[in-house]
Amino acid sequence: VIFLMLFVIPTFKEIFSSFGAELPFPTQVLLTISEYTPLGVAILIPSGIAGAIAFKKLYATVPKFRFKVDGIKLKMPMFGLMLRKVAIAKFTRTLGTLIKSGVPIMQALDTVAKTAGNAVIEKAINDAREEVKKGENMVAPLKRSEQFPPMVIQMIAVGEQTGNLDTMLMKIAEFYDSEVDTAVKGLTSMIEPLVMAFMGVVIGGIVIAMFLPMFEMSQLASQ
């Protein structure tokens, strides 16, 4: 689309200007957009790069900013639920593997928190670690965080009570791995036609706007 705006449509603008007739409104809008596209590209590309660098820097160095951004990620429509499932699967699988390998629960929770990949989930795990450090179970702080579904909380509670925490964690991880696979397939099947439809509307609109003056000129010539 940028290529059309920069190189193709300006050529048509020269042709249309020689007609000496008023152009249809869609064509006027398209020509105006094309006229300002070089300026927009010159401003948006450097601004986008600078913004991305600044965002990455803030995300890496300011904990409050990272926590806020990660919280927004988990609340995003469609993608938020999938990211939460990925985080839960990662948390349960890693913790289950460490416990099964004989790693002490405090060290295991510390490792899992550092590799959570999301500041909100990391805080929930660290809160659970503090409770375990006091001799309590980790179910209550995980439940208070409101980041884990009730099923996950219940299964962890059963695992702690029966002494089979590692087994229950692995079962949770397997369930959420399959949930993530299903969610990815669903999003892919939905996004592909939406992208195709969007591109069809954009390119179709450009083509129609370009050919409208030609149709009108051919009608005038035939009359």
Side-chain angles (χ1 to χ4, degrees):
V1 172
I2 292 175
F3 176 81
L4 289 174
M5 291 294 183
L6 289 175
F7 301 105
V8 178
I9 294 176
T11 304
F12 279 88
K13 184 179 180 180
E14 296 177 3
I15 298 172
F16 294 154
S17 61
S18 64
F19 287 171
E22 185 178 356
L23 297 174
F25 180 72
T27 307
Q28 294 179 23
V29 171
L30 188 63
L31 292 177
T32 302
I33 295 173
S34 174
E35 184 178 347
Y36 287 99
T37 297
L39 178 62
V41 169
I43 294 174
L44 290 177
I45 291 180
S47 300
I49 294 173
I53 294 172
F55 179 86
K56 187 176 180 181
K57 187 72 174 177
L58 284 171
Y59 187 82
T61 58
V62 182
K64 289 184 178 180
F65 181 77
R66 179 171 177 256
F67 186 85
K68 187 71 174 177
V69 171
D70 285 349
I72 293 172
K73 286 180 182 178
L74 295 176
K75 294 177 182 178
M76 288 191 304
M78 297 186 294
F79 294 100
L81 181 59
M82 186 178 70
L83 291 173
R84 189 182 301 277
K85 289 178 179 179
V86 170
I88 293 172
K90 185 178 180 181
F91 159 66
T92 52
R93 184 174 297 282
T94 306
L95 183 59
T97 301
L98 291 173
I99 293 174
K100 189 175 182 179
S101 302
V103 177
I105 185 66
M106 293 297 294
Q107 183 181 343
L109 286 171
D110 184 56
T111 302
V112 171
K114 291 178 180 177
T115 59
N118 185 286
V120 177
I121 302 297
E122 181 180 346
K123 182 180 183 301
I125 298 171
N126 281 327
D127 290 344
R129 183 177 180 275
E130 290 301 315
E131 291 295 322
V132 174
K133 189 176 181 180
K134 296 174 184 177
E136 303 294 333
N137 60 43
M138 63 177 176
V139 171
L142 291 179
K143 186 177 181 180
R144 284 196 300 270
S145 70
E146 299 182 349
Q147 301 303 323
F148 298 87
M151 184 197 76
V152 175
I153 300 297
Q154 291 170 5
M155 291 184 71
I156 291 176
V158 171
E160 285 188 322
Q161 292 168 6
T162 60
N164 295 318
L165 182 58
D166 57 336
T167 303
M168 297 303 288
L169 287 169
M170 296 304 288
K171 287 183 178 179
I172 296 171
E174 291 173 3
F175 173 77
Y176 276 96
D177 280 339
S178 63
E179 286 281 297
V180 170
D181 289 340
T182 302
V184 169
K185 290 178 182 177
L187 284 173
T188 303
S189 62
M190 180 177 63
I191 288 172
E192 286 178 353
L194 287 176
V195 171
M196 293 296 292
F198 174 76
M199 290 306 300
V201 170
V202 171
I203 300 300
I206 292 174
V207 171
I208 291 171
M210 286 294 94
F211 278 92
L212 275 175
M214 297 183 184
F215 293 147
E216 292 187 3
M217 292 302 296
S218 62
Q219 290 175 2
L220 290 172
S222 63
Q223 292 174 1

